[in-house]
Amino acid sequence: MSEKIKTNVLIIGSGAAGYTAAIYAARANLKPHLVTGLEPGGQLTITTDVENYPGFGDVIQGPWLMEQMREQALKVGTEIHNDFVTNVDFNSSPFIATTDSGLIFRSKTTIISTGAKARWLEIESEEKFKGYGISACATCDGFFFKDQDVAVIGGGNSAVEEALFLTNFASKVTLIHRRDQLRAEKILQDRLFKNPKVEIIWNKTVKNFQGNTDTPALEKILLKSTTDNSESEIKVSGAFIAIGHDPATSLFLNKIKMDKENYIITKPDSTSTSIPGVFAAGDVKDKIYRQAVTAAGMGCIAALEAEKFLAENS
Ligand code: NAP
């Protein structure tokens, strides 16, 4: 049976942005409701060690951090629903959102914090070493590869930036690209080509990752040529997949303004979207920084802006 819930603030998504928005909205006495989505906790739940979230002297675990954020959101008065939103209507006032379990929310404001997902190569061996040598975030995990050899897969801005960032720690960084030309901006390419720690392997894709599977540790990458199908291998202890991200915005297609890559567009220095009363925070609108702390910051801004919107429109 469908249950109808009226709320000041509906938060869709439960990563760092969503939980932070919930904490701020609840502390402003707005009694927010948060719908978690299919992967409660978001991208941080698939990372292991986190060393760059401020406030912790010791290394913490991504899943633990998200559990703490959830606890905090609950404690200050957020209602959390382990459910996922299947439809939204931003033309009605209040907005309407329906969930898989049949909840119908009527909300005066909505905060979209559905995040993004790193694209993976989707080969079987990748799964075995995720978090044990394979990562999709150099900023998060690069530090763990001090004085080791690592590879970056991809040829866009992210891949080149990650490769350059990794030269701060790794002894050698090999960029593996499937074509003979990078997609990244020229200025980044120049920096990459000049860096003595960087080697580029052109026209190759990853065929397989290999290593110790008992105490998982990546040891080498088997490569396949895109020009003649020949095979080769390189020894590395880390591999960073940087082949792009996809924002989780399919629910909002044609309902809110997005850019050509389907990231939600927000006004400058704001989380306001093309629909007054709908705010977007975190990786769903940010293709550049993508950090837990920047997502949390945007979640805070979204809640403050929702509070201001409610004060001005009620
Ligand atoms: P991207 O520009 O879409 O580049 C993805 C790269 O991965 C491409 O080189 C692509 O190869 C390669 N690739 C895709 N699928 C692959 C597969 N299955 N196997 C091997 N390689 C694969 O993604 P991005 O670099 O993450 O950038 C996304 C957006 O964010 C872009 O608009 C970018 O400009 C922006 N961005 C900006 C900054 C900045 O301004 N500082 C930083 C990061 C990202 P092909 O080239 O052959 O297609």
Side-chain angles (χ1 to χ4, degrees):
M1 240 206 14
S2 57
E3 185 192 342
K4 294 193 171 97
I5 299 171
K6 283 187 187 164
T7 181
N8 290 307
V9 187
L10 173 66
I11 299 161
I12 308 176
S14 57
Y19 283 141
T20 308
I23 292 161
Y24 273 78
R27 294 194 77 253
N29 214 16
L30 296 175
K31 301 184 171 49
H33 285 253
L34 180 150
V35 181
T36 58
L38 284 175
E39 286 170 18
Q43 292 179 82
L44 271 170
T45 58
I46 54 160
T47 59
T48 50
D49 294 355
V50 175
E51 273 188 347
N52 57 5
Y53 197 83
F56 301 96
D58 293 324
V59 178
I60 53 167
Q61 297 297 301
W64 177 84
L65 177 63
M66 297 322 294
E67 197 44 50
Q68 293 301 308
M69 286 194 198
R70 181 187 162 93
E71 284 291 306
Q72 193 178 356
L74 277 171
K75 205 173 259 175
V76 291
T78 309
E79 270 214 44
I80 297 181
H81 307 267
N82 288 321
D83 203 345
F84 68 96
V85 174
T86 51
N87 195 32
V88 289
D89 180 356
F90 293 143
N91 287 323
S92 66
S93 176
F95 306 127
I96 297 173
T98 47
T99 73
D100 184 56
S101 75
L103 300 179
I104 301 172
F105 290 96
R106 296 172 71 82
S107 66
K108 292 182 187 165
T109 64
T110 297
I111 296 174
I112 301 172
S113 48
T114 45
K117 272 196 179 147
R119 281 186 213 135
W120 296 96
L121 295 168
E122 310 289 351
I123 52 179
E124 204 188 318
S125 52
E126 182 179 53
E127 207 52 49
K128 284 189 206 152
F129 297 107
K130 261 188 206 169
Y132 302 97
I134 296 183
S135 163
C137 178
T139 319
C140 321
D141 300 326
F143 185 75
F144 303 118
F145 295 91
K146 215 162 188 287
D147 300 325
Q148 299 175 47
D149 288 359
V150 300
V152 175
I153 292 100
N157 277 350
S158 299
V160 173
E161 281 193 345
E162 302 230 325
L164 288 169
F165 178 77
L166 286 164
T167 59
N168 295 321
F169 315 99
S171 39
K172 181 177 173 191
V173 180
T174 306
L175 186 102
I176 301 162
H177 184 39
R178 62 184 178 184
R179 293 187 295 131
D180 62 359
Q181 247 183 346
L182 298 175
R183 182 182 291 277
E185 288 164 15
K186 187 79 177 55
I187 187 166
L188 287 174
Q189 294 194 30
D190 289 346
R191 262 181 236 153
L192 188 80
F193 297 150
K194 274 192 205 134
N195 194 305
K197 279 193 178 176
V198 174
E199 186 188 326
I200 303 177
I201 297 184
W202 302 102
N203 299 315
K204 299 243 160 105
T205 52
V206 174
K207 184 173 181 220
N208 212 349
F209 293 103
Q210 288 185 346
N212 186 341
T213 43
D214 297 334
T215 44
L218 180 68
E219 288 165 1
K220 60 183 168 189
I221 308 178
L222 299 187
L223 301 170
K224 190 172 175 179
S225 163
T226 51
T227 52
D228 61 11
N229 282 337
S230 62
E231 292 185 7
S232 53
E233 63 176 50
I234 56 162
K235 290 201 165 84
V236 287
S237 37
F240 290 82
I241 318 295
I243 59 170
H245 284 74
D246 293 313
T249 47
S250 52
L251 184 62
F252 312 105
L253 278 177
N254 304 318
K255 297 184 177 175
I256 202 158
K257 266 199 190 148
M258 295 180 192
D259 68 13
K260 60 181 188 329
E261 292 161 281
N262 291 341
Y263 285 86
I264 295 176
I265 295 172
T266 52
K267 302 205 170 97
D269 298 327
S270 165
T271 63
S272 304
T273 67
S274 54
I275 313 268
V278 178
F279 304 89
D283 290 14
V284 77
K285 61 142 282 184
D286 166 30
K287 63 177 113 169
I288 296 174
Y289 301 108
R290 296 191 182 113
Q291 299 302 300
V293 67
T294 51
M298 282 181 253
C300 160
I301 296 171
L304 296 176
E305 289 187 316
E307 186 185 0
K308 188 162 177 276
F309 179 89
L310 288 163
E312 287 170 357
N313 291 279
S314 53

